Amino acid sequence: MGTYPRDLEGYGQTVPNAAWPGGAKVAVQFVLNYEEGGENNLLHGDDASEAFLSEIVGAAAWPGQRHWNMESIYEYGARAGFWRLHRLFTEAGIPLTVYGVATALARSPSQVKAMQEADWEIASHGLKWIEHKDMTEAEELAQIVEAIRLHAEVTGEAPRGWYTGRCSMNTVGLVAARGDFDYISDSYADDLPYWMEAGEHDQLIIPYTLDANDMRFATPQGFNTGEQFFQYLKDSFDGLYAEGAAGRPAMMSVGLHCRLTGRPGRAAGLKRFIEYAQSHSDVWFARRIEIAEHWKANFPHKRWERPGAMSRERFVECFGGIFENSPWIAEQAFDLERGPAHDTATGLHNALTRIFRSASQAERLGVLNAHPDLAGKLAQAKRLTENSTSEQASAGLDALTDAERSSFEALNAEYVAKHGFPFIIAVRDHDKAGILAAFQRRIGNDRETEMAEACRQVERITELRLKDLLP
């Protein structure tokens, strides 16, 4: 495969402190998907009726026919469900982000006016509420362009956020390439916003949710009652609130649909959750655009030269010396399947050490013998590599007394005569006394044990070197 495109690393163990306004422990963000009037329908020029996310679980599309029951279920969302949720959130004083399908918004002027009067953000949910997976790139791009045009015409301003939902593998790239969206939400990959590089453009991604989402009322083994919905939202909130109290504040997204949670029994469960969340201090109820603005101001994207984007020549130039005088390791590692996870020190170290570990014993012995003696003649003659010079200096091996130098020379000679390769230790993990103690202890090991230990030390040395170069 060569380059592996998926990012399985994310923030890893170094999750940033989101520093939400007011020191909030969690940012709670509600999304209302407005899709009614934009779904599959012969009236909209589609080939079949809608079959997704309704009371008819497992419904099938009706090719060439209108589906009266499905249409009326969607109509309920616009006619009744929207207004119930509108009252609920305006009375609670909680701002929303609306994912608005452009054609649905165009067919619902009263609802659009109510959204705007409530100061809700209206992000784009595409042109129509249909599948995009089988569209050509040109066809999908045309839909994106028309969605933006119609959205601006209906609402008075272009959308700043985007979420297709029923997207293709091309959607995010096509939207990001435009460079005019504050955020894209076609991702479920994290609890925090993150950046994506789209050519020269740095695109903010604010992940959405399919778990804390009322769509599970319309799926097998999903929510059956408002109480189940409330309990799941409460558990999610409690977990994130506790993490925020521990210094790792994150974001909780809640996804809603007018025709689903807009039903009274489900709205009751949502109301209980709103009251529960509002009973806590240090909670930020935000629109997604406000989360985007906060993230851009506090966590601007920083680019670096990524190993995954390097040519073979540049890769070997940068990393050919990580294993002492052994560029062949970098040359072979370049050909491994590598992805974004290998653009970090930990990830690239794993790739390089795979080559080292799978090499023959003779090849690994060659790597060991490429290392200089500690405080040996090459060091005295200032003929070490730049890495070895700084490493030995870090432990004070460039400033030995005559007695210390004599001890190192004797130990070096005895060690090499016994094992057939120089004594290797990650000197940056030790001081001078610790190095001498390890030298005296390890010199008595048998050759097999000592070669295994020397190889472990080589891997540690290379890990430290990579940490000097990469995040």
Side-chain angles (χ1 to χ4, degrees), residues 10-48:
Y11 291 115
Q13 292 182 315
T14 57
V15 179
N17 185 322
W20 301 128
K25 295 182 177 67
V26 61
V28 177
Q29 204 290 300
F30 292 93
V31 165
L32 181 60
N33 294 269
Y34 197 86
E35 299 153 352
E36 290 76 10
E39 78 277 15
N40 283 286
N41 192 308
L42 267 64
L43 296 175
H44 306 159
D46 302 307
D47 296 329

